[in-house]
Amino acid sequence: MCSPSETITPVKVSDCETNYDSSASWTTTLKYVLSAAFLSVSVLEFSLWFPFVLPGLTSAAAKTYIPAFFVYDDEHTKFDNTPWTYNTDYLLTIVMSILAIQCILARSDNDQKNQRSLRLRLYSASLLICYAISTLAGAWAHQHFLSVESLNTSRFRMFWFVCVGNVSFASCYMGLIGREVQRHFGVSGAMHMGPWWFWPAYGCYMSLTCGLGYISFKRPACDIFIAGCTQFPSTFYCLAALGIRKWPQQNSKKVAVGKETSIELVSPMYRAIYYIGFISNAPLLPVYPILVQYTDMTLGGVNTFLHTWLLLAWGMQGISLVHLCKAVSNGERRVGAATEKQQYSGGPALIYSIIMAPLALMATDYARMSFS
C-alpha cells in the first residue's frame, strides 16, 4: 500500500502503440477504399457484359442494347409515349411514396426504441423515394418528349439522368438497409458490415457513370435494366443479412406480450415477401429483349407489363421493410447475441462467393477472348 506522501505515476501509452493504432486505422480505411473501387468498376463492367452472354439471347441483346451515350437516331431509337407507359409510371410513384411514408411512420410509443429504428426507417424510406423519383422523371419524359429530336436535348438528358441515376444510386440505400438488417436481425459476426460510407461511394460511382453516358442505349429503357443489374451486390447483401440465421419457431417459446425481441416479431410471411421482393427483378434483364425482339407486343404493352412487375417487386420490398421497421420500433433489444455466432460461421465467405462468382465468370470470358 502506498504511503500518503507517495504519488502514483500514470501509465502513458507509448508513441509506438499510438502510431500502430493509427497505422491500423489507415490500413483498414485503405482496404475498404480499394474494395469499393474494385467492386464499383468490376460490377459496372459486368453489368454491361452480362446481357450479351445469356444463353439463347445473344442475338436479341445485340439488337436491343445498342450504346448511345445520349445520342439518338431514327433507325434504332424506340421511346414509347402512350398513356399506358407514363400512367403506370405515375402509379408507381404514388405507391412508392405511400410506402416510404409508412416506413417513416413505423414508430411506437417508446422514444428509445424509435431512436433505435430511426436509421432503418430513413434508409428504407430513402430507397422507396429513389424509386418514386425515378418513375416520376420517367413518366414525365415518356409523356412530354415525343420525337427523336427532343431526346437529343439537354433537357431530356437531365430528366433521364434523374430517372436512371436514382435506380443506379438505389444500391447505396440497399447496402445501408442491409447493414441495419444485419445489426438488428442478423447473426452477430456472420456478415461484415464495413464502414457506413462504403455503399454511398458505390452508389455515387454508378450514378456518375450514368450521368457520363456509360449506361445509355438507343432504347432508353435499356438504361434501367443495366442500372438494375448493378444492384446485385447490395441485393444479395440484403438477402444474406436477413437469411443467414436460424429463426425462432413461432410456437416454440411463449413470450409475454410486449416483451418480444425484434427478431421474434418478424413474421415468416414477411420474411418471404422480403426475399421475393428483392430478388424478383432479376428476370427482367433477359425478359426485356425477348419481349421487344420476339413478340408482337407494342412498346406500350411491354412497358405496362414491366411496370406491373416492378409494382409487385418494389411493393413487396416496401411492405416487408415497413414490417421490419415496426419490428425494431416495437421489439426489445435482443440478448445473448454471442450464442448466435455458432449458427453460421461461413456467412462472409458465402456472400463474397456469390458476389465474386459472376465477376470471375466475366474475367474468364474476357481472358478466353483475348487468347483466342
Side-chain angles (χ1 to χ4, degrees):
M1 180 178 292
C2 299
S3 64
S5 61
E6 293 178 324
T7 58
I8 300 176
T9 303
V11 178
K12 296 182 179 180
V13 177
S14 68
D15 293 338
C16 179
E17 291 174 331
T18 302
N19 292 337
Y20 175 80
D21 292 340
S22 177
S23 175
S25 177
W26 277 107
T27 301
T28 302
T29 301
L30 179 61
K31 179 184 70 174
Y32 280 111
V33 168
L34 294 177
S35 298
F38 169 78
L39 186 66
S40 301
V41 173
S42 57
V43 168
L44 177 63
E45 189 67 22
F46 169 81
S47 301
L48 295 170
W49 165 84
F50 187 59
F52 298 95
V53 297
L54 290 171
L57 296 178
T58 302
S59 177
K63 296 177 183 177
T64 306
Y65 292 95
I66 302 174
F69 287 90
F70 294 111
V71 178
Y72 306 99
D73 56 50
D74 292 317
E75 180 181 0
H76 300 105
T77 298
K78 307 292 182 184
F79 192 67
D80 187 66
N81 305 114
T82 59
W84 278 105
T85 293
Y86 57 76
N87 283 334
T88 49
D89 259 334
Y90 285 129
L91 176 62
L92 278 166
T93 301
I94 294 171
V95 174
M96 294 304 107
S97 299
I98 292 173
L99 289 172
I101 294 172
Q102 289 184 337
C103 284
I104 294 293
L105 298 179
R107 297 163 53 89
S108 67
D109 296 330
N110 188 307
D111 291 338
Q112 185 177 3
K113 294 179 180 178
N114 290 335
Q115 188 64 31
R116 196 164 71 239
S117 68
L118 179 61
R119 280 186 291 190
L120 179 59
R121 289 187 285 121
L122 290 178
Y123 295 153
S124 300
S126 297
L127 174 65
L128 297 168
I129 288 298
C130 269
Y131 295 157
I133 294 175
S134 172
T135 52
L136 178 62
W140 185 267
H142 281 291
Q143 185 176 6
H144 293 93
F145 293 93
L146 308 179
S147 66
V148 173
E149 290 75 17
S150 66
L151 300 184
N152 286 311
T153 61
S154 57
R155 189 162 172 260
F156 173 78
R157 182 169 182 169
M158 178 188 69
F159 271 94
W160 205 243
F161 168 67
V162 173
C163 177
V164 183
N166 271 280
V167 176
S168 303
F169 192 72
S171 292
C172 161
Y173 295 116
M174 283 188 183
L176 293 174
I177 288 170
R179 292 181 86 250
E180 291 304 304
V181 169
Q182 169 63 23
R183 187 193 310 277
H184 295 293
F185 305 103
V187 176
S188 179
M191 294 286 297
H192 291 163
M193 296 178 62
W196 70 269
W197 50 261
F198 183 92
W199 291 109
Y202 179 88
C204 285
Y205 176 84
M206 294 304 172
S207 296
L208 177 62
T209 57
C210 171
L212 294 175
Y214 289 99
I215 307 177
S216 173
F217 298 87
K218 296 295 185 182
R219 292 176 178 265
C222 294
D223 305 6
I224 298 293
F225 298 104
I226 301 302
C229 192
T230 65
Q231 296 176 354
F232 90 85
S234 53
T235 296
F236 282 109
Y237 185 72
C238 284
L239 292 172
L242 194 69
I244 301 181
R245 72 162 299 110
K246 294 178 181 176
W247 289 89
Q249 297 296 323
Q250 292 289 303
N251 300 321
S252 61
K253 181 180 178 181
K254 299 297 183 181
V255 182
V257 176
K259 298 298 182 181
E260 304 96 337
T261 65
S262 298
I263 293 174
E264 292 166 330
L265 290 176
V266 178
S267 163
M269 181 184 72
Y270 284 99
R271 293 205 308 271
I273 292 174
Y274 177 94
Y275 302 140
I276 296 172
F278 273 97
I279 200 63
S280 57
N281 279 335
L284 293 183
L285 183 69
V287 163
Y288 180 70
I290 292 174
L291 293 179
V292 298
Q293 298 296 339
Y294 299 141
T295 72
D296 295 327
M297 292 180 66
T298 64
L299 278 181
V302 171
N303 290 337
T304 300
F305 170 77
L306 297 176
H307 291 170
T308 302
W309 192 305
L310 285 177
L311 180 63
L312 295 174
W314 287 353
M316 285 191 286
Q317 289 181 26
I319 290 170
S320 60
L321 289 172
V322 170
H323 180 74
L324 294 183
C325 291
K326 289 181 178 179
V328 179
S329 295
N330 290 280
E332 298 293 331
R333 189 185 298 273
R334 63 178 178 179
V335 295
T339 62
E340 298 179 338
K341 291 186 178 181
Q342 302 303 319
Q343 287 191 22
Y344 291 96
S345 58
L350 175 63
I351 187 65
Y352 295 154
S353 298
I354 291 174
I355 293 175
M356 292 305 297
L359 302 182
L361 182 64
M362 176 189 66
T364 303
D365 186 59
Y366 279 176
R368 178 185 58 82
M369 290 188 295
S370 298
F371 290 104
S372 61

